[in-house]
Amino acid sequence: SPWALTPLTCLMETKNGTLLAGTSDNGLFIVFPDTNNVPLHLNRISGFPADWIISLLEDREGNFWVGTGGSGLVGLRPNNIQTVTPPDHWRGRAVLSVYPARNGDLWVGTEGAGLYRYADGAWENFDYTNGIRNSYVWSIAEDTAGNLFCGTWGAGVFTRDGNRFKSAPGMENQLMHVPALFTARDGSLWAGTE
């Protein structure tokens, strides 16, 4: 593999078969399905803003979102790399998860700065004051009805209720680590725990 023995933090296959591999200290590798193309390596040496990649996401438009440790959220578009940052610069925290909602909002979970929403050109932050009992938001998902859920590191799963968050139904007394959330085709929500 082009990343050799570098530890991978995330791996994703895109809609067109391209492979994205995030590493713990050597940036992002992009391996194209056409074997004639040389893999692309993006790191600080090549001008990419980060070497520590935590999360990857492909949105409906084919753009890639890269959550980094220390450099925020990076948007990759064809022939364009853009760093997306709220006014508080994620409070200096790492971006752990990214989720594009059906209504066009972009949700971003952080390591200690809570949950952010980017909508209509404006940022909004949700944390303890909004009911999320742990500001380490490791996972985000939306069910088929449009309800937003976020998994935290040690306080369980929360669901959005207007501008507040509350424990997800049946999870009120579950203070577990939830680094993964996934909505199945049948509409059920799956939670990955430690």
Side-chain angles (χ1 to χ4, degrees):
S1 67
W3 49 86
L5 297 177
T6 303
L8 293 183
T9 55
C10 48
L11 188 65
M12 179 184 79
E13 182 180 3
T14 69
K15 294 171 190 166
N16 70 359
T18 300
L19 185 67
L20 275 67
T23 69
S24 61
D25 63 0
N26 200 12
L28 178 68
F29 289 86
I30 302 174
V31 181
F32 301 97
D34 180 357
T35 56
N36 294 328
N37 285 329
V38 175
L40 184 60
H41 181 203
L42 303 174
N43 61 9
R44 287 192 186 273
I45 294 170
S46 67
F48 194 71
D51 286 334
W52 179 21
I53 309 302
I54 298 175
S55 58
L56 296 168
L57 173 89
E58 180 179 16
D59 67 18
R60 290 182 293 273
E61 297 171 354
N63 302 311
F64 305 119
W65 297 94
V66 182
T68 70
S71 296
L73 181 64
V74 178
L76 292 175
R77 295 177 180 90
N79 301 320
N80 185 9
I81 297 175
Q82 175 186 5
T83 301
V84 181
T85 306
D88 69 358
H89 299 281
W90 316 106
R91 298 184 207 163
R93 303 303 187 120
V95 170
L96 299 176
S97 53
V98 183
Y99 188 84
R102 275 189 227 104
N103 66 359
D105 293 356
L106 183 67
W107 291 91
V108 181
T110 67
E111 184 180 39
L115 182 67
Y116 287 82
R117 178 178 64 179
Y118 184 68
D120 300 320
W123 289 96
E124 190 173 4
N125 180 248
F126 302 88
D127 58 14
Y128 293 103
T129 60
N130 303 94
I132 300 174
R133 292 193 307 259
N134 187 305
S135 291
Y136 288 71
V137 179
W138 278 74
S139 54
I140 308 166
E142 187 177 36
D143 68 12
T144 53
N147 298 307
L148 186 81
F149 295 86
C150 64
T152 65
W153 192 254
V157 179
F158 294 85
T159 185
R160 182 175 177 221
D161 184 13
N163 282 332
R164 303 271 315 150
F165 283 79
K166 59 184 181 183
S167 292
M171 302 290 284
E172 294 85 0
N173 298 316
Q174 302 295 323
L175 302 178
M176 61 184 70
H177 303 244
V178 186
L181 288 173
F182 178 76
T183 306
R185 288 183 189 149
D186 66 2
S188 59
L189 182 70
W190 289 80
T193 68
E194 62 178 335

